[in-house]
Amino acid sequence: MKKKMLELLSKNKKDMSEKDLKEMLIKDEKEITDIIKDIGLERNEYMDVAKIKNFLKTSYIGNEILMFKEVESTNTVAELFAEFGSDEGTVVISEIQTKGKGRLGRKWESPAGGLWLSIILKPDTIPSKAPLITLAAGVAVAKTLRNIGADAGIKWPNDILINDKKVSGILTEANIKSNIVNYVIVGVGIDNNFNIDILPEELQKTSTTLKNELKTEITETKLISKFLNEFEKVYDLFKDEKIDEILYDWRKMSRTIGSYVEIKQTHGKLLKGYAIGINNEGTLILEENNGNLKKVISGECIIKK
Ligand code: BT5
């Protein structure tokens, strides 16, 4: 898709090399509109962007909000804009995603009524610290949901739960070259205003929506602005290297720490034990049945008790 976009752009700007094009910054609304048209997307302000901006207390997150009716994945669209120099804090939102992405190639169901958004970030950080942005985003989602009255908790590494059911997931994708983080896309999905029975049957028991939990409909404009306000605060902590403050909130809202868990690792190994904490890199510390302490960097966590 990126190649196609470069080709489309070079048709209009024949005298520019690919390198020039890559370095070209998206400067104005017209340029963004042209690019959106070129890649065959249809912008659609299905929510009132002005209203969202009215409620924003941020200084850079959400300065630019690109809204679509339908995209494959807001992370993919955000990546395209990041490649073309969109500023840090640009937010991509879509009413529906046709190929919503979870981690490790898993699918994320994204019907209308959910909140599907991605934020472009350009942190001045080293690759090993990028996973902390996922934890920061989790803190921002959980705080937002608690502020609107939901008893939200965080399951390591990136699930937000209400009553032990998943209501939100986070997918962080970093673009790293030669050990430099060029940009990071934080994708957040929140199951908001839809009935759970429209999800595939196997997800209906393990997932929930805000509508279902709060017995009321939360307007999307309110949810987005509250989330973006929280997100900027916690991301600023990350940028100021105040990781302890992020981890303090994460640990306070964690549903994993103190539980007996099973961790399914990507290579198929199953680890079992008590989750006794996370360290300052976001790594889970597991006390195995034989008393050994094990650091777990990634995996699928199942809370047993
Ligand atoms: C995640 O992956 O939880 C990350 C989800 C990130 C979604 C956002 S939406 C905006 C942005 N654009 C994207 O394309 N993605 C991001 P993971 O931990 O791998 O969980 C995926 C699993 O959650 C699936 O295998 C299902 O079991 C379950 N699942 C799928 N859709 C769900 C939904 N809408 N609500 C709750 N659970 C779901």
Side-chain angles (χ1 to χ4, degrees):
M1 200 169 186
K2 197 170 97 194
K3 197 163 164 265
K4 191 176 152 222
M5 191 166 164
L6 283 167
E7 274 168 20
L8 285 164
L9 281 168
S10 52
K11 256 190 230 158
N12 304 329
K13 299 184 170 75
K14 280 202 176 73
D15 49 345
M16 290 177 87
S17 68
E18 180 166 312
K19 185 168 166 283
D20 291 332
L21 285 167
K22 272 191 178 154
E23 284 170 2
M24 183 182 76
L25 295 182
I26 296 173
K27 289 185 196 76
D28 56 31
E29 184 67 13
K30 188 178 171 304
E31 202 162 4
I32 290 176
T33 308
D34 286 349
I35 290 172
I36 288 168
K37 238 195 287 161
D38 277 346
I39 55 177
L41 290 173
E42 207 184 309
R43 216 162 156 173
N44 185 310
E45 299 208 343
Y46 73 101
M47 266 184 264
D48 191 345
V49 174
K51 220 173 184 174
I52 297 175
K53 289 197 170 175
N54 254 344
F55 292 127
L56 281 185
K57 297 178 195 137
T58 55
S59 57
Y60 57 98
I61 298 289
N63 278 1
E64 184 76 65
I65 297 180
L66 304 168
M67 202 173 276
F68 301 92
K69 184 90 183 148
E70 184 178 304
V71 298
E72 288 189 355
S73 155
T74 54
N75 266 33
T76 311
V77 175
E79 188 192 337
L80 286 171
F81 282 95
E83 286 289 334
F84 280 86
S86 270
D87 287 332
E88 171 159 83
T90 300
V91 176
V92 175
I93 305 176
S94 184
E95 187 175 13
I96 291 168
Q97 295 187 115
T98 52
K99 285 190 185 154
K101 297 190 283 184
R103 291 176 306 147
L104 304 167
R106 287 189 283 254
K107 193 175 172 204
W108 182 259
E109 300 292 334
S110 315
L115 175 59
W116 324 123
L117 69 78
S118 301
I119 310 173
I120 297 174
L121 301 174
K122 298 187 172 175
D124 183 11
T125 191
I126 51 170
S128 64
K129 293 216 168 136
L132 288 169
I133 297 176
T134 305
L135 296 191
V139 166
V141 174
K143 279 190 163 181
T144 305
L145 301 191
R146 285 181 175 210
N147 285 340
I148 56 170
D151 181 23
I154 311 173
K155 184 172 76 121
W156 180 85
N158 67 342
D159 287 353
I160 308 300
L161 311 178
I162 303 176
N163 290 325
D164 296 331
K165 292 180 173 181
K166 183 159 173 171
V167 70
S168 168
I170 296 155
L171 174 68
T172 307
E173 295 181 293
N175 180 289
I176 297 164
K177 273 179 204 128
S178 318
N179 217 33
I180 290 172
V181 179
N182 291 326
Y183 58 83
V184 172
I185 308 295
V186 173
V188 175
I190 302 178
D191 298 329
N192 185 23
N193 281 333
F194 60 82
N195 291 325
I196 206 71
D197 58 9
I198 63 171
L199 290 183
E201 214 176 323
E202 69 276 12
L203 294 183
Q204 291 177 16
K205 278 206 183 94
T206 54
S207 319
T208 191
T209 64
L210 292 180
K211 179 180 171 182
N212 193 38
E213 297 296 325
L214 297 170
K215 311 290 177 229
T216 175
E217 293 199 359
I218 303 292
T219 60
E220 270 126 345
T221 46
K222 191 170 153 189
L223 187 61
I224 290 172
S225 49
K226 278 180 181 285
F227 168 68
L228 295 179
N229 288 337
E230 284 299 341
F231 184 80
E232 185 173 290
K233 277 193 255 167
V234 70
Y235 179 58
D236 277 347
L237 291 176
F238 172 81
K239 292 212 284 191
D240 294 342
E241 298 191 9
K242 293 183 180 160
I243 306 303
D244 51 330
E245 291 187 37
I246 302 172
L247 293 179
Y248 176 81
D249 281 338
W250 194 94
R251 290 175 177 128
K252 226 171 44 185
M253 295 189 286
S254 164
R255 289 282 150 83
T256 309
I257 298 175
S259 299
Y260 190 81
V261 298
E262 287 181 5
I263 312 282
K264 270 194 219 160
Q265 298 197 294
T266 31
H267 42 75
K269 198 169 172 201
L270 190 69
L271 302 170
K272 293 180 182 183
Y274 278 98
I276 61 168
I278 51 164
N279 69 9
N280 61 1
E281 287 166 345
T283 301
L284 185 72
I285 313 293
L286 193 70
E287 185 184 324
E288 292 185 292
N289 294 343
N290 59 8
N292 272 353
L293 294 185
K294 195 169 183 77
K295 286 185 178 175
V296 190
I297 294 169
S298 65
E300 181 73 26
C301 174
I302 301 147
I303 299 177
K304 292 305 225 190
K305 54 188 177 203

